[in-house]
């Protein structure tokens, strides 16, 4: 199932409630991607728990919180309590990823782990059953609007192979430079959840951009599945 998660990092922060509604509605965003940055793990500062709490009240679209922060073991559970339906922590920052994933799940949210571009998936193979989603960053985390890193496509493929090897119902998300010109390659490589920032919020009609990206990804995924079947 292809899902499109617009990133509010590319939205107008002065009108977040309205920006959230602009991508909602029938065939709109599956999730709203919320980038949390602490100016320590990444060199940028965005928003935190109070904004997530406010967004939860302002939109019916579930919130997908990506924590680019130090000490997620301490802070991630607070984002579940604030209303996030999915919480992603970074493998590079978590002290006890299995314990943290279980705590996120126990509080009622989907548990997700993110990998920076230089972090390989293979050392985390045994952790995959503890997760609901795995995020492969296709840019260095910290800033929106970066160019997609093609060198991440083999990593996406390897991750999909590991997920299939273990028969897991694990979503594979990509984040960074996802647009009309890159989403098909990501889908063909095995990704099924796509974070898109400027490709959505930079469009005249963000909701239409969501629908167009989803259609592109579905077609590419179906084509890849057909090729594999043969």
């Amino acid at each position: 199932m292809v899902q499109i998660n617009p990133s509010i990092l590319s939205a107008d922060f002065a009108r977040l409630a309205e920006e959230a509604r602009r991508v909602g509605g029938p065939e709109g965003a599956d999730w709203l991607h919320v980038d949390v940055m602490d100016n320590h793990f990444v060199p940028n500062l965005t928003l935190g728990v109070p904004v997530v709490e406010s967004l939860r009240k302002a939109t019916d679209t579930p919130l997908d919180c990506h924590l680019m922060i130090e000490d997620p073991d301490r802070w991630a559970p607070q984002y579940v309590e604030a209303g996030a339906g999915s919480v992603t922590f970074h493998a590079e920052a978590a002290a006890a990823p299995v314990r943290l994933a279980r705590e996120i799940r126990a509080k009622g949210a989907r548990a997700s782990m993110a990998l920076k571009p230089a972090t390989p998936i293979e050392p985390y193979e045994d952790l995959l059953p503890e997760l609901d989603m795995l995020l492969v960053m296709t840019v260095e985390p910290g800033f929106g609007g970066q160019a997609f890193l093609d060198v991440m496509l083999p990593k996406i493929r390897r991750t999909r192979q590991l997920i299939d090897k273990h028969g897991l119902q694990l979503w594979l998300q990509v984040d960074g430079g996802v647009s009309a010109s890159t989403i098909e390659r990501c889908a063909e490589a095995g990704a099924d959840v796509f974070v898109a920032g400027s490709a959505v919020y930079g469009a005249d009609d963000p909701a239409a951009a969501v629908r167009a990206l989803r259609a592109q990804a579905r077609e590419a995924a179906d084509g890849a599945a057909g090729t594999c079947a043969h």
Side-chain angles (χ1 to χ4, degrees):
M1 182 176 65
V2 167
Q3 300 182 66
I4 305 296
N5 299 12
S7 170
I8 63 166
L9 188 64
S10 296
D12 182 347
F13 272 34
R15 301 183 302 126
L16 280 185
E18 182 182 337
E19 294 283 71
R21 288 191 287 269
R22 289 177 75 201
V23 296
E27 287 295 303
D30 297 283
W31 296 76
L32 197 62
H33 191 80
V34 182
D35 289 300
V36 178
M37 306 182 194
D38 65 356
N39 202 31
H40 294 285
F41 182 70
V42 292
N44 197 2
L45 185 65
T46 54
L47 47 81
V49 168
V51 175
V52 172
E53 288 177 337
S54 297
L55 265 176
R56 177 67 279 154
K57 298 171 186 173
T59 179
D60 293 330
T61 306
L63 303 182
D64 166 31
C65 287
H66 177 193
L67 307 185
M68 287 167 273
I69 63 174
E70 290 183 351
D71 200 8
D73 304 75
R74 176 183 179 187
W75 299 111
Q78 294 188 27
Y79 286 87
V80 184
E81 294 164 5
S86 176
V87 176
T88 301
F89 58 89
H90 266 265
E92 303 88 357
V98 171
R99 184 176 64 194
L100 179 55
R102 290 180 178 180
E103 185 174 1
I104 291 170
R105 281 176 159 181
K107 286 183 174 291
R110 295 179 63 86
S112 171
M113 187 172 72
L115 304 176
K116 287 183 177 184
T119 303
I121 178 59
E122 287 78 8
Y124 298 98
E125 179 178 354
D126 292 343
L127 274 66
L128 295 181
E130 301 288 343
L131 302 170
D132 298 296
M133 183 168 73
L134 195 290
L135 166 56
V136 173
M137 292 297 298
T138 43
V139 298
E140 289 294 336
F143 293 93
Q146 297 183 66
F148 178 82
L149 295 174
D150 284 282
V151 293
M152 291 298 101
L153 291 169
K155 181 176 173 181
I156 296 169
R157 291 191 188 94
R158 292 196 304 273
T159 303
R160 172 53 63 192
Q161 289 166 358
L162 289 178
I163 292 170
D164 292 346
K165 170 185 171 182
H166 293 281
L168 301 173
Q169 298 298 313
L170 180 66
W171 296 350
L172 177 51
Q173 185 180 65
V174 289
D175 179 6
V178 175
S179 67
S181 63
T182 60
I183 195 167
E184 293 178 6
R185 280 174 281 164
C186 294
E188 289 165 355
D192 49 18
V193 183
F194 305 88
V195 177
S198 53
V200 170
Y201 279 111
D204 292 335
D205 186 339
V210 168
R211 293 191 292 271
L213 287 169
R214 184 184 290 112
Q216 271 190 281
R218 280 178 176 164
E219 185 174 353
D222 290 345
T227 300
C228 291
H230 291 89

